[in-house]
Amino acid sequence: DVLNIAYELYETTAIKISVIDLTGRTLINVLNESEAKGSNKHQVKLDGLAQGLYLLNFVTDKGSFSSKFVKQ
């Protein structure tokens, strides 16, 4: 099971991406480094996660964003 993520950065910045459960517990640390301005893509292996609803959490120095996804 793989989750493909793509996002756009308006400037080069440090970014942290993680998969968290609905209780707020971090399950997978996807990325924690500086990314270049522009389009970025990553694949996240979801092996070991049970079926259910999860959050993909993005954090930069400008703020944070979460997106829900379902592992089937």
Side-chain angles (χ1 to χ4, degrees), residues 3-15:
L3 176 66
N4 292 305
I5 58 174
Y7 54 92
E8 183 87 16
L9 293 175
Y10 297 109
E11 60 187 48
T12 299
T13 188
I15 185 168

Side-chain angles (χ1 to χ4, degrees), residues 24-68:
R25 184 173 49 141
T26 300
L27 303 174
I28 301 171
N29 288 310
V30 178
L31 184 71
N32 190 9
E33 60 188 48
S34 184
E35 285 275 356
K37 174 183 176 180
S39 298
N40 294 276
K41 296 179 183 180
H42 296 282
Q43 287 189 330
V44 183
K45 292 183 180 181
L46 301 177
D47 300 336
L49 290 184
Q51 292 182 349
L53 183 63
Y54 296 92
L55 297 172
L56 187 61
N57 194 42
F58 298 80
V59 179
T60 71
D61 60 347
K62 301 287 185 186
S64 64
F65 172 79
S66 294
S67 179
K68 295 178 186 176

